[in-house]
Amino acid sequence: MSESTQPAAAAPAPAPKEKKASKKAAVQQFTLKTPKGTKDWADKDMVLRNAIFDTITKVFKRHGGVTIDTPVFELREILSGKYGEDSKLIYNLEDQGGELTSLRYDLTVPFARFVAMNGIQSIKRYHIAKVYRRDQPAMTKGRMREFYQCDFDIAGDYESMVPDAEILSIAVEGLTALGIQDFTIKVNHRKILDGLFQQCGVKEEDVRKVSSAVDKLDKLPWEDVKKEMVVDKNQPEEVADKIGEYVRIKGSFKEVIDKLSADEALMSNASASAGIKEMATAYNYLEAFGVTKYLSFDLSLARGLDYYTGIIYEAVTAASAPPPKPTDEELAAKAAEEKKNKKKSKSKAAEEDEDNSENVGVGSIMAGGRYDNLVGMFAGSSKKNASIPCVGVSFGVERLFSLIKARAGLVDQVRPTSTQVYVMAFGGGPTWDGFLKERMAVAKQLWLGGIEAEFLYKTKPKPQKQFEAAEKTGCPFSVILGQDEYTKGVVKVKELGLGEEADQGVDVPIAEVVDYLKAKLAARSNGVEEAVRLLTI
Amino acid sequence: MSESTQPAAAAPAPAPKEKKASKKAAVQQFTLKTPKGTKDWADKDMVLRNAIFDTITKVFKRHGGVTIDTPVFELREILSGKYGEDSKLIYNLEDQGGELTSLRYDLTVPFARFVAMNGIQSIKRYHIAKVYRRDQPAMTKGRMREFYQCDFDIAGDYESMVPDAEILSIAVEGLTALGIQDFTIKVNHRKILDGLFQQCGVKEEDVRKVSSAVDKLDKLPWEDVKKEMVVDKNQPEEVADKIGEYVRIKGSFKEVIDKLSADEALMSNASASAGIKEMATAYNYLEAFGVTKYLSFDLSLARGLDYYTGIIYEAVTAASAPPPKPTDEELAAKAAEEKKNKKKSKSKAAEEDEDNSENVGVGSIMAGGRYDNLVGMFAGSSKKNASIPCVGVSFGVERLFSLIKARAGLVDQVRPTSTQVYVMAFGGGPTWDGFLKERMAVAKQLWLGGIEAEFLYKTKPKPQKQFEAAEKTGCPFSVILGQDEYTKGVVKVKELGLGEEADQGVDVPIAEVVDYLKAKLAARSNGVEEAVRLLTI
């Protein structure tokens, strides 16, 4: 679905220095790192990303979606011929005998393979999984080679534009559920684009290259795009000018449809008029779903992938566009700064991996469209499901992650663990054994009661160490086993994090501690749930 | 963690016949299949597997676990030298320029790399993800090449045997939460094994091969294992006999510890006595956690992986062992049956991929142990965290899946979608337009209210078609837009699946339908939640 929802690479973890050779035979010497273009996810980032997945999954399920899981690698021939020029970015597995296989490049082609292979006539499926692209930093700086896609697709031969409208509703609901406020979904239609190029006199064989020039209108002024068409792509100037009249059209869905429907030249073209009629139909449904206010009909939106055949769309936010060009003063200041910092030596690898994210926006955060012929490429035209039409959307999860993580105060509130209770022991004197077994028994009681609990793996822990460990988890409660009280069958439950107004705690019989804590915890969410809740605050 | 928690391959989907070449240029000809040893997950299987993941994840979180996500491939040198003979099963990525990388073989080595790379002193982490092994059907029939592992590991220098005991508690809680009733966890200790081999006179260089012979005692009688030691592995018969005295010891944890502690010969060996003392310490903690009843101390348990250094364990159920050998009558009957069926031709591929699951058990459903030196292999001995000790457990998710799926009646109750409400329109006559936009608007209301809802993508759907579609999802309610009622602001909410005693439905004002349904649905779980609940019924 989404050649352009690929995330920018995060700054790579600093490569640790080479260790000195050790005498121990078992010790091997490594540059300890993940492969180029990949990263580990951990800690709060992981919780936040899972919260994003959970939130989007809920939206997908709300629309009747089922999920599938396909292998990370496919037969090589399944992938070949699907991605045009980008096929060179496909990771191949070594030929170790047997079949030739490659890592999946996206989730759409495996989905089409799945639909064709199983003779499926209709399905709403979602799939959240990693995909692989051998992007070269030199060519496309800062792109990840392993990243997540998060797709919802509807396959089936349905009433025109009904699933398309629902997909756009899903896109809006997904972004809104993630607390994204200021997004715009640009929409266009491949048939309208094809028709207007024909109408303007572009030759069939030139459509793709003209289309890719038009797609740059979100980053370049029309004059630059026109120059590219005329000089680089050999289009007559009058053709370029005609195209320019059209592709600079953008505005509300209704306005643009009215404008195009009134354009006799365009309406005389079969492809364009079919596209315009479909968009008019879609408008009705999008109104019913209440999502038209998020849409901008933008004739410059072309989208790269070959396989789109109908409506296409992508969502952008203020952060999607590159920042304004720096002024001369800013550039001079930056150069001075860089000179100053030059003493800090940089490893070659770090330089090569360096992200130029300061010069680019995060790009589109959601993208997709209709692709009616992809399943047919697998099924063969002789088969009944030769051309199961499909429409889908892909959320740019890792771009969304960057936007969400940047929200003020959010990361501070995220907890890496779900721990709710820290089980401690207080006591002293020569006969005091630290109540390790007793802490274990209480922890077990809590676990069996469904309560997240930890204790210090130490025989005789000091109170201070236990409070520090509890604080590190951010858990709201402690259960304290006092040397004397515990033998009387009582523990103290204390609320943590109250600072100066320290809670004195409540004595609770051991047998009742699970119920007592469950009642206390009922109003609280935890872990990913907590983070999911934070997303929309 | 788990060289032996690998799932048996499910029966492969039948390969579709080759399609006839088509005239359409875009149509390519494929054998539509997933690569050998891989499969698609979909439909109810997917829901059930996610329910298993969710259930185990809850247990992991309850114990303070954080999760990490490492890349699917690692630098090749990270993996090399970690898996002994099995290194030949590692999938390499093609050398397309740049670094040499391979798909991960398990989650343990990437975890150790992560701990070493980030200088982590302590962590409890869980990781549920796919791993890759190029098992050859000819060598190990019916093994998957892509399968899930589901690991929890505790890294850190803690009080002896405390984390080990908690890991075993997690194992018990995990299996119990999945509704597995009849499991036994076999435990042993590498130091005891090493010590008893020394004590029996096995040479240092022969320990591994003797150990691997011993590991077969769960499948073979002692006489066969002895023969292997003496004939194939060149051990003197008296050495084999001495070993036989020990490795046939098994029983309750307490019994075996008492027996071993009283064995002066064994206690005089430094390694064995250290192991026995550790197990005695562990026993205390396992008692506190109330899990000793699930344990069987079994001196024949050896586990294959080189990296274990302390306690080792694996869980088996009745289904883990191969079924009893068939009698001669049964064999004759089977041969006759096969002869009869021979007319049904089998493709070569299907034959090659064929699972011989009828001849093997599902194997262990959980396995793990302590590995104190793996992080040190990465960190280098000069570094502070050179030898962060670790202990972990890996659930054999796909084996558990097979056991759980086989439960009577379970699969029937699992729903692939989470849909709760089907939005329908009833009406007729020449002016009736099918209320498509109105159904959309009501569905949108439900979605915004967090309710899973679908409607038929058809302009004028017949009531029957709508009921059929609703029934297919298994959703409990329909909201019906009646031609007359809807214009008066009222819809009918009807409970589905009541059969003969059909619910007549309740009229609800449109503005109140979300609240009405939320109240109705509050007592119900759905989708994966529903399946999670089903697991323990």
Side-chain angles (χ1 to χ4, degrees):
Chain A
M1 285 285 66
S2 61
E3 79 284 12
S4 74
T5 51
Q6 187 174 354
K17 286 176 202 158
E18 291 263 320
K19 309 292 169 317
K20 277 184 193 148
S22 146
K23 280 163 201 162
K24 224 172 148 187
V27 175
Q28 294 169 261
Q29 299 308 319
F30 297 105
T31 302
L32 276 186
K33 63 186 278 293
T34 61
K36 198 183 187 67
T38 70
K39 58 175 284 196
D40 295 323
W41 287 81
D43 208 50
K44 293 183 172 194
D45 282 2
M46 191 71 193
V47 175
L48 208 49
R49 199 186 65 182
N50 280 344
I52 294 172
F53 288 164
D54 277 19
T55 302
I56 296 181
T57 299
K58 249 179 219 144
V59 173
F60 289 165
K61 284 185 180 172
R62 217 172 274 158
H63 287 262
V66 296
T67 189
I68 68 169
D69 176 23
T70 63
V72 139
F73 49 85
E74 295 274 347
L75 294 182
R76 198 165 297 166
E77 57 187 358
I78 301 278
L79 304 188
S80 63
K82 303 301 179 305
Y83 303 107
E85 270 196 5
D86 286 345
S87 289
K88 64 182 181 301
L89 303 184
I90 292 174
Y91 274 98
N92 293 326
L93 283 155
E94 205 172 277
D95 182 0
Q96 292 166 293
E99 302 159 333
L100 294 181
T101 57
S102 302
L103 297 185
R104 63 183 165 214
Y105 179 88
D106 64 12
L107 302 176
T108 311
V109 168
F111 171 61
R113 189 266 305 149
F114 173 82
V115 170
M117 180 174 138
N118 295 290
I120 289 167
Q121 295 300 312
S122 69
I123 188 172
K124 300 185 204 174
R125 89 84 181 78
Y126 65 92
H127 194 182
I128 300 180
K130 289 172 171 179
V131 299
Y132 300 87
R133 299 182 185 181
R134 289 182 56 257
D135 263 322
Q136 288 299 338
M139 291 160 50
T140 46
K141 262 198 154 188
R143 292 204 152 189
M144 293 302 283
R145 292 174 158 202
E146 178 190 59
F147 60 97
Y148 267 90
Q149 288 199 333
C150 185
D151 288 16
F152 189 104
D153 294 82
I154 301 177
D157 200 358
Y158 293 118
E159 201 81 37
S160 170
M161 304 314 284
V162 177
D164 313 57
E166 182 163 344
I167 288 281
L168 282 168
S169 185
I170 290 171
V172 168
E173 288 165 43
L175 295 174
T176 309
L178 293 170
I180 307 289
Q181 306 285 352
D182 58 343
F183 64 91
T184 302
I185 302 179
K186 296 196 257 180
V187 294
N188 198 4
H189 198 295
R190 269 287 168 91
K191 286 183 190 164
I192 299 178
L193 269 183
D194 288 348
L196 82 81
F197 291 141
Q198 280 170 11
Q199 198 56 28
C200 296
V202 178
K203 287 178 199 142
E204 185 68 29
E205 63 268 31
D206 290 345
V207 164
R208 268 219 73 190
K209 59 187 186 187
V210 170
S211 179
S212 92
V214 165
D215 212 25
K216 293 177 186 157
L217 259 182
D218 57 343
K219 296 182 200 82
L220 299 175
W222 166 246
E223 286 312 314
D224 293 3
V225 171
K226 178 181 169 184
K227 199 177 145 200
E228 182 177 330
M229 281 192 201
V230 175
V231 179
D232 304 341
K233 304 197 163 163
N234 292 316
Q235 300 302 307
E237 190 163 352
E238 61 273 24
V239 169
D241 284 336
K242 268 186 165 178
I243 293 173
E245 293 296 309
Y246 283 117
V247 297
R248 280 178 289 173
I249 294 174
K250 63 176 163 187
S252 81
F253 212 103
K254 186 88 178 80
E255 274 166 29
V256 173
I257 285 181
D258 289 348
K259 189 175 179 117
L260 298 180
S261 303
D263 186 319
E264 284 179 26
L266 207 54
M267 291 300 286
S268 73
N269 177 287
S271 173
S273 87
I276 292 164
K277 275 175 202 153
E278 284 187 15
M279 290 300 254
T281 304
Y283 180 73
N284 266 314
Y285 303 147
L286 293 164
E287 241 190 342
F289 286 140
V291 296
T292 52
K293 65 181 167 197
Y294 299 99
L295 308 177
S296 164
F297 201 142
D298 185 335
L299 285 187
S300 74
L301 177 73
R303 310 259 326 123
L305 287 175
D306 280 349
Y307 54 56
Y308 289 122
T309 55
I311 190 170
I312 48 178
Y313 30 81
E314 68 181 42
V316 291
T317 67
S320 298
K325 280 187 184 170
T327 63
D328 288 348
E329 288 78 29
E330 285 168 338
L331 284 174
K334 198 175 164 231
E337 179 72 11
E338 272 168 8
K339 208 174 162 189
K340 211 176 92 189
N341 291 338
K342 223 166 190 175
K343 286 154 212 161
K344 296 179 194 161
S345 74
K346 248 189 235 169
S347 79
K348 199 169 176 297
E351 213 155 5
E352 202 181 31
D353 268 347
E354 194 175 23
D355 185 11
N356 64 348
S357 58
E358 59 180 328
N359 298 322
V360 295
V362 298
S364 66
I365 52 174
M366 175 286 291
R370 174 164 283 283
Y371 52 102
D372 284 349
N373 301 330
L374 192 58
V375 174
M377 284 176 78
F378 291 116
S381 59
S382 63
K383 211 174 169 195
K384 203 187 163 227
N385 71 347
S387 57
I388 298 288
C390 298
V391 61
V393 59
S394 183
F395 288 92
V397 179
E398 296 181 50
R399 290 176 177 182
L400 287 164
F401 173 83
S402 307
L403 289 181
I404 288 167
K405 197 182 169 185
R407 281 181 203 157
L410 177 61
V411 172
D412 293 341
Q413 293 177 71
V414 171
R415 287 206 290 141
T417 71
S418 301
T419 307
Q420 299 283 30
V421 178
Y422 214 89
V423 180
M424 309 178 179
F426 287 3
T431 60
W432 168 242
D433 73 350
F435 274 167
L436 177 55
K437 283 190 70 172
E438 290 77 2
R439 282 180 280 143
M440 285 174 156
V442 171
K444 181 74 181 191
Q445 231 182 296
L446 299 176
W447 295 331
L448 291 179
I451 296 169
E452 296 86 354
E454 294 188 80
F455 61 94
L456 214 58
Y457 295 158
K458 214 170 158 31
T459 314
K460 290 191 199 176
K462 296 202 177 84
Q464 185 58 23
K465 292 277 175 206
Q466 297 177 86
F467 278 118
E468 280 167 17
E471 200 180 351
K472 217 176 137 192
T473 74
C475 68
F477 290 100
S478 67
V479 167
I480 299 167
L481 281 58
Q483 192 167 4
D484 300 327
E485 294 85 346
Y486 185 75
T487 51
K488 292 176 199 142
V490 169
V491 294
K492 201 179 278 300
V493 176
K494 206 169 138 110
E495 197 165 346
L496 298 170
L498 296 178
E500 284 305 304
E501 301 168 56
D503 180 23
Q504 289 308 305
V506 177
D507 286 338
V508 179
I510 295 169
E512 292 166 25
V513 70
V514 167
D515 289 339
Y516 179 84
L517 280 165
K518 271 188 165 174
K520 281 271 182 190
L521 290 167
R524 293 167 176 268
S525 52
N526 68 65
V528 169
E529 282 164 43
E530 205 167 270
V532 166
R533 191 180 51 80
L534 290 170
L535 289 184
T536 45
I537 290 176
Chain B
M1 286 286 66
S2 61
E3 78 285 13
S4 73
T5 51
Q6 186 174 353
K17 286 177 202 157
E18 292 263 320
K19 306 297 169 318
K20 278 186 190 147
S22 147
K23 281 163 198 165
K24 225 173 152 188
V27 176
Q28 295 167 261
Q29 299 308 318
F30 297 104
T31 303
L32 275 186
K33 64 186 276 294
T34 61
K36 196 181 188 67
T38 70
K39 57 174 282 196
D40 295 321
W41 287 81
D43 209 48
K44 292 183 172 194
D45 281 1
M46 191 70 192
V47 174
L48 209 48
R49 199 186 65 182
N50 280 342
I52 293 172
F53 288 163
D54 276 20
T55 301
I56 297 181
T57 299
K58 250 181 217 145
V59 173
F60 289 165
K61 284 185 179 173
R62 218 173 274 160
H63 288 261
V66 297
T67 188
I68 68 168
D69 176 22
T70 64
V72 140
F73 49 85
E74 295 274 347
L75 294 182
R76 198 165 297 166
E77 57 186 0
I78 300 279
L79 305 188
S80 64
K82 303 300 180 304
Y83 303 107
E85 268 196 6
D86 286 345
S87 289
K88 65 181 182 300
L89 303 185
I90 292 173
Y91 273 98
N92 294 325
L93 284 154
E94 204 172 278
D95 182 1
Q96 292 167 293
E99 301 158 334
L100 294 181
T101 57
S102 302
L103 297 185
R104 61 182 166 216
Y105 179 88
D106 65 11
L107 302 176
T108 310
V109 168
F111 171 61
R113 189 266 305 148
F114 172 82
V115 170
M117 179 174 140
N118 296 289
I120 290 167
Q121 295 300 312
S122 69
I123 187 171
K124 299 184 204 173
R125 89 87 180 75
Y126 65 91
H127 194 181
I128 301 179
K130 289 173 172 180
V131 300
Y132 299 88
R133 299 181 187 182
R134 289 182 55 256
D135 262 322
Q136 288 300 339
M139 291 160 52
T140 46
K141 259 200 155 188
R143 292 205 150 188
M144 292 303 282
R145 292 175 157 201
E146 178 189 60
F147 60 97
Y148 267 90
Q149 287 198 334
C150 185
D151 288 15
F152 189 104
D153 293 82
I154 301 178
D157 200 357
Y158 293 118
E159 202 80 37
S160 170
M161 305 313 283
V162 178
D164 313 57
E166 181 163 343
I167 288 281
L168 281 169
S169 185
I170 291 171
V172 169
E173 289 164 42
L175 295 174
T176 309
L178 293 171
I180 306 291
Q181 307 284 354
D182 58 343
F183 63 92
T184 302
I185 301 179
K186 296 195 255 179
V187 294
N188 198 4
H189 198 295
R190 270 286 168 92
K191 287 182 190 165
I192 301 178
L193 270 183
D194 289 348
L196 82 81
F197 290 142
Q198 280 168 13
Q199 199 56 28
C200 296
V202 178
K203 290 182 197 140
E204 183 69 29
E205 62 268 30
D206 290 344
V207 165
R208 267 219 74 190
K209 60 187 184 187
V210 170
S211 180
S212 92
V214 166
D215 212 25
K216 292 176 188 158
L217 258 182
D218 57 342
K219 296 182 200 82
L220 299 176
W222 166 246
E223 288 312 314
D224 292 4
V225 171
K226 179 181 167 182
K227 198 176 145 201
E228 182 176 331
M229 282 191 200
V230 175
V231 179
D232 304 341
K233 304 198 163 161
N234 292 315
Q235 299 301 307
E237 191 164 354
E238 62 273 24
V239 169
D241 284 337
K242 269 187 167 179
I243 293 172
E245 291 297 309
Y246 282 117
V247 297
R248 279 178 290 175
I249 295 174
K250 62 177 164 185
S252 81
F253 212 102
K254 187 87 179 76
E255 275 165 29
V256 174
I257 285 180
D258 289 348
K259 188 176 180 115
L260 298 180
S261 304
D263 185 320
E264 284 178 26
L266 207 55
M267 291 301 285
S268 73
N269 177 285
S271 174
S273 89
I276 292 164
K277 275 175 201 153
E278 284 187 15
M279 290 301 255
T281 305
Y283 180 71
N284 268 312
Y285 304 148
L286 292 164
E287 243 190 340
F289 287 140
V291 296
T292 51
K293 66 180 168 198
Y294 298 100
L295 307 177
S296 164
F297 201 142
D298 186 334
L299 285 186
S300 74
L301 177 72
R303 310 259 326 121
L305 287 174
D306 280 348
Y307 54 57
Y308 290 122
T309 56
I311 190 169
I312 49 178
Y313 31 81
E314 68 180 41
V316 291
T317 67
S320 298
K325 280 187 183 168
T327 62
D328 287 348
E329 289 77 31
E330 284 168 338
L331 283 174
K334 199 177 164 229
E337 179 73 10
E338 271 167 9
K339 207 174 162 189
K340 210 176 92 191
N341 290 337
K342 223 166 187 173
K343 286 155 210 160
K344 295 178 195 163
S345 74
K346 247 188 234 172
S347 78
K348 199 170 176 296
E351 211 154 4
E352 200 183 30
D353 270 346
E354 194 176 22
D355 185 10
N356 64 347
S357 58
E358 60 180 326
N359 298 323
V360 297
V362 298
S364 66
I365 51 173
M366 175 285 291
R370 173 164 285 283
Y371 53 103
D372 285 349
N373 301 331
L374 192 58
V375 174
M377 284 177 77
F378 291 117
S381 59
S382 64
K383 213 174 168 198
K384 204 184 161 232
N385 69 348
S387 57
I388 297 288
C390 298
V391 61
V393 60
S394 183
F395 288 92
V397 180
E398 297 181 50
R399 288 175 179 185
L400 287 164
F401 173 83
S402 307
L403 289 182
I404 289 167
K405 196 182 170 186
R407 282 182 202 155
L410 177 62
V411 172
D412 293 341
Q413 294 177 71
V414 172
R415 289 206 288 141
T417 72
S418 301
T419 307
Q420 299 284 30
V421 177
Y422 214 90
V423 179
M424 309 179 179
F426 288 3
T431 60
W432 168 242
D433 74 351
F435 273 165
L436 178 54
K437 283 190 71 172
E438 289 77 2
R439 282 181 281 141
M440 287 175 157
V442 170
K444 181 75 180 190
Q445 230 183 299
L446 298 175
W447 296 331
L448 291 180
I451 297 169
E452 296 85 352
E454 294 189 78
F455 61 94
L456 213 57
Y457 296 159
K458 212 168 161 30
T459 314
K460 290 192 200 175
K462 296 202 176 85
Q464 186 56 22
K465 292 276 174 205
Q466 297 177 86
F467 278 118
E468 280 166 17
E471 200 181 353
K472 216 177 137 192
T473 75
C475 67
F477 290 100
S478 66
V479 167
I480 299 167
L481 283 58
Q483 192 167 5
D484 299 328
E485 295 83 345
Y486 185 75
T487 50
K488 291 176 198 144
V490 170
V491 294
K492 199 177 282 297
V493 175
K494 206 169 139 109
E495 198 164 346
L496 298 171
L498 296 180
E500 284 304 304
E501 300 167 59
D503 180 22
Q504 290 308 304
V506 177
D507 285 338
V508 179
I510 295 169
E512 292 165 26
V513 71
V514 168
D515 288 339
Y516 180 84
L517 281 164
K518 271 186 163 174
K520 281 273 182 188
L521 290 167
R524 292 168 176 267
S525 53
N526 69 64
V528 169
E529 283 165 41
E530 203 167 271
V532 166
R533 192 180 50 79
L534 291 170
L535 289 184
T536 46
I537 291 176

